[in-house]
Amino acid sequence: MLLVIDDIDDRFEFDKVLGKLGDFSSDCRFIFTTRNKRALDFIPECKLYEPGEMSRRLSLQLFCKHAFGMDNPPLEDAGISEEFVKVAGGLPLALKVIGSLLFRRDKKFWKEKLVELQGLPSTTENMVQERLKISYNDLSHNEKQIFLDIACFFIGSHKDLPYYMWSSCDFYPESGINTLIHRSLIKLDEENKFWMHDHIKDLGRAIVNEEDIRHPYNRSRIWSIDDVLNILRNRKVNFFHQWFGDLSHRYYMIFVYAQVQ
């Protein structure tokens, strides 16, 4: 038997989920993926494998698929394409999102984005988020609102669930959703449900958290159940006065209620 479990966290315990390792035959194999090495401490006899960066050749091919719709860059764009591949650092998601951002844009736009990316620190804990944020920054106000709503609340939800709410807020969801799909920031699965890569989800939630690091009740969206319960228990008067006093925030109360439920 080969069993693959994707994206485990530090709460995963092998025995509680799968049973004791000794109950399986010696030719069984388990593969776990995680973004947190400490999660592997709970897995017996685990061998760590860290995948390396994509090769320069494959990185260029992936970038070109999204930036040009082909496997290789046009001759006149080969140099600048190599520069974008370099600043993406061999990260497939970054290559895909950056390439999608540049698709059918003029060369002046390409050069500006390259300078912006080259100005980012090369070694940082949030390196992936900083590169993905380039694409977020280029969205319109309405597209940003739809993106943040999906990141905080609607991953796995059918697109019709928030569609009419966004329409009532004049966010123009039809064009907004299409833009986010074309930028490789979201996907719709075969059931028309929103899907978003974990790194992109983390980016959206980090953007919301940065609105007020210390006081969640001042943020535009509250997606953490712990934050919701804390606000409702300890700041009821100020919280409801602030949010219901501003029409632009009323529809977010739906999300708070849904999260508590």
Side-chain angles (χ1 to χ4, degrees):
M1 180 182 71
L2 173 65
L3 178 64
V4 180
I5 300 183
D6 183 46
D7 199 22
I8 65 172
D9 58 27
D10 55 7
R11 294 168 294 182
F12 182 86
E13 296 183 45
F14 187 97
D15 290 353
K16 290 183 178 180
V17 177
L18 300 172
K20 294 189 178 299
L21 185 62
D23 295 337
F24 296 91
S25 63
S26 60
D27 58 352
C28 290
R29 296 293 181 268
F30 304 91
I31 298 176
F32 303 91
T33 70
T34 182
R35 292 183 289 165
N36 181 2
K37 288 183 181 180
R38 294 188 60 187
L40 302 177
D41 294 341
F42 296 94
I43 302 176
E45 302 181 31
C46 180
K47 296 181 179 179
L48 180 63
Y49 171 77
E50 295 188 31
E53 294 182 356
M54 288 183 69
S55 68
R56 183 58 62 90
R57 180 182 65 82
L58 291 177
S59 294
L60 181 62
Q61 185 181 53
L62 179 60
F63 172 80
C64 290
K65 279 183 178 293
H66 294 277
F68 302 108
M70 59 182 73
D71 289 344
N72 297 292
L75 185 60
E76 65 272 16
D77 296 319
I80 194 169
S81 296
E82 288 281 359
E83 290 299 317
F84 274 109
V85 168
K86 182 178 179 180
V87 296
L91 301 169
L93 180 61
L95 290 163
K96 183 177 180 181
V97 171
I98 294 170
S100 299
L101 171 65
L102 300 172
F103 184 64
R104 291 183 178 173
R105 297 296 190 99
D106 59 44
K107 291 304 173 280
K108 181 179 180 181
F109 183 88
W110 278 54
K111 291 176 181 178
E112 287 180 351
K113 290 305 172 185
L114 179 59
V115 171
E116 188 175 354
L117 282 165
Q118 289 173 332
L120 297 175
S122 58
T123 54
T124 172
E125 292 182 359
N126 297 319
M127 182 179 68
V128 178
Q129 284 190 13
E130 291 299 322
R131 279 148 181 75
L132 298 179
K133 197 172 182 180
I134 296 291
S135 188
Y136 169 81
N137 291 338
D138 195 59
L139 298 174
S140 70
H141 170 76
N142 292 341
E143 292 161 356
K144 287 178 179 178
Q145 304 313 305
I146 294 173
F147 170 79
L148 294 178
D149 283 347
I150 295 173
C152 291
F153 306 112
F154 292 118
I155 297 173
S157 297
H158 194 281
K159 75 169 188 176
D160 288 347
L161 181 62
Y163 189 92
Y164 297 105
M165 177 190 68
W166 289 328
S167 296
S168 297
C169 294
D170 293 328
F171 288 165
Y172 307 104
E174 190 66 31
S175 61
I177 291 171
N178 286 335
T179 297
L180 296 178
I181 292 173
H182 292 155
R183 296 284 179 85
S184 298
L185 294 174
I186 65 170
K187 286 184 180 179
L188 287 174
D189 65 15
E190 62 276 6
E191 297 179 347
N192 269 338
K193 293 181 178 180
F194 290 117
W195 181 89
M196 182 179 285
H197 192 284
D198 284 344
H199 281 306
I200 297 178
K201 176 196 71 176
D202 293 344
L203 168 66
R205 295 184 175 187
I207 290 170
V208 172
N209 288 347
E210 288 169 3
E211 294 172 358
D212 194 322
I213 298 296
R214 297 183 60 188
H215 305 112
Y217 52 84
N218 285 331
R219 299 172 190 161
S220 60
R221 297 157 181 83
I222 302 175
W223 53 269
S224 165
I225 293 177
D226 291 337
D227 287 340
V228 170
L229 294 177
N230 183 56
I231 290 170
L232 293 176
R233 288 168 179 161
N234 302 317
R235 299 192 60 88
K236 288 184 179 180
V237 176
N238 292 341
F239 172 71
F240 283 102
H241 179 270
Q242 174 187 343
W243 280 29
F244 276 109
D246 185 346
L247 280 174
S248 66
H249 288 145
R250 281 190 181 179
Y251 72 96
Y252 292 120
M253 294 301 299
I254 301 170
F255 304 154
V256 175
Y257 176 77
Q259 289 285 38
V260 172
Q261 291 297 309

